[in-house]
Amino acid sequence: MKRVVVIAGGEVTQEDLHHIRPDDFLITADAGIEPLLDLGMNPHLAVGDFDTAGEEYLSKLEDLQISYRTLPSEKDVTDTHFALEEAIKLQPNEILLLGALGGARFDHALANLYLLEWLATTTSIPCTLVAGKNQICLLIGPTTICVTKGDTRYISLLPCSSQVVGVTLKGFRYPLNDATLTRGLSLGVSNEITQESGEITIHSGKCFCIQSADF
């Protein structure tokens, strides 16, 4: 399978949903089904305890002949975590996570960021979290990636481990050469690509790579 899109129960904009391609496999977690149905799109699988979306959605899912898995309200993983586990079973080339930030629950937003780390350390499937003008992925060294400028202006590297060692940035307004980023400090925030693409290399450590725009 080429790509699985998981739509969580946080804030989802029309701009976010425009990232969905016709051949994507769609999995919604709890209230993540609402914006999809509002747009006239049906998920291939809906999961959750549906404490947010409401039990009336179960009848709607049956009427629409949408496959769903109901989960207990008392469980060891969040609905989004469970949806990602279902996505992994499909062995896609890529996972796109929508609706994972925003909304009233900051604890869920932070937990969803940690899920990027869980995915990166337990699978080889790349996952990108998209929320409005922000695209977030997790990098684990040693690695080198090429990032394109696109519609985003800023790129920030925020350590997830205590330190990220051997950071080299090419094609950026503020280049780095074999630098060390320390968690809690802001050295890696608000850099800019000066060309059509830039290169990021890290030797060791884990960090969030956030591409964002403020317009």
Side-chain angles (χ1 to χ4, degrees):
M1 182 166 294
K2 187 174 181 181
R3 188 172 77 165
V4 173
V5 178
V6 172
I7 305 166
E11 182 179 346
V12 180
T13 67
Q14 294 296 312
E15 181 181 10
D16 295 336
L17 295 176
H18 287 159
H19 288 277
I20 296 176
R21 304 167 186 162
D23 59 345
D24 287 334
F25 189 94
L26 307 180
I27 302 177
T28 59
D30 199 81
I33 192 173
E34 296 182 33
L36 204 62
L37 293 181
D38 290 343
L39 199 63
M41 301 174 65
N42 293 348
H44 298 89
L45 175 65
V47 304
D49 51 30
F50 298 102
D51 60 346
T52 304
E55 291 191 6
E56 67 273 10
Y57 267 87
L58 298 182
S59 297
K60 183 180 291 188
L61 293 178
E62 292 177 354
D63 292 340
L64 294 172
Q65 297 184 329
I66 296 173
S67 298
Y68 66 88
R69 294 275 303 275
T70 55
L71 307 177
S73 57
E74 297 182 1
K75 53 188 180 297
D76 293 333
V77 297
T78 63
D79 293 333
T80 303
H81 191 156
F82 185 88
L84 287 170
E85 289 180 338
E86 293 299 299
I88 292 171
K89 293 177 183 178
L90 297 172
Q91 298 182 326
N93 294 332
E94 180 185 358
I95 295 175
L96 178 65
L97 180 57
L98 306 177
L101 301 181
R105 296 290 300 272
F106 179 74
D107 54 342
H108 279 277
L110 188 57
N112 290 337
L113 287 174
Y114 290 153
L115 286 175
L116 293 181
E117 181 183 13
W118 166 71
L119 279 167
T121 54
T122 58
T123 77
S124 59
I125 304 171
C127 179
T128 302
L129 188 159
V130 172
K133 299 294 185 181
N134 301 282
Q135 298 184 34
I136 308 170
C137 66
L138 189 118
L139 306 180
I140 299 179
T143 189
T144 297
I145 67 166
C146 181
V147 290
T148 57
K149 191 172 185 178
D151 295 329
T152 60
R153 177 178 179 181
Y154 302 105
I155 292 188
S156 296
L157 299 178
L158 298 178
C160 188
S161 54
S162 59
Q163 287 189 325
V164 182
V165 179
V167 180
T168 298
L169 304 179
K170 297 179 181 179
F172 285 81
R173 181 176 180 181
Y174 308 109
L176 293 176
N177 184 29
D178 200 25
T180 297
L181 302 182
T182 301
R183 187 174 61 200
L185 301 182
S186 56
L187 176 61
V189 176
S190 292
N191 212 330
E192 299 178 46
I193 300 177
T194 56
Q195 304 172 16
E196 287 303 310
S197 64
E199 186 179 274
I200 300 172
T201 297
I202 63 174
H203 289 167
S204 64
K206 296 181 287 186
C207 68
F208 293 109
C209 178
I210 305 172
Q211 293 184 251
S212 57
D214 57 3
F215 55 86

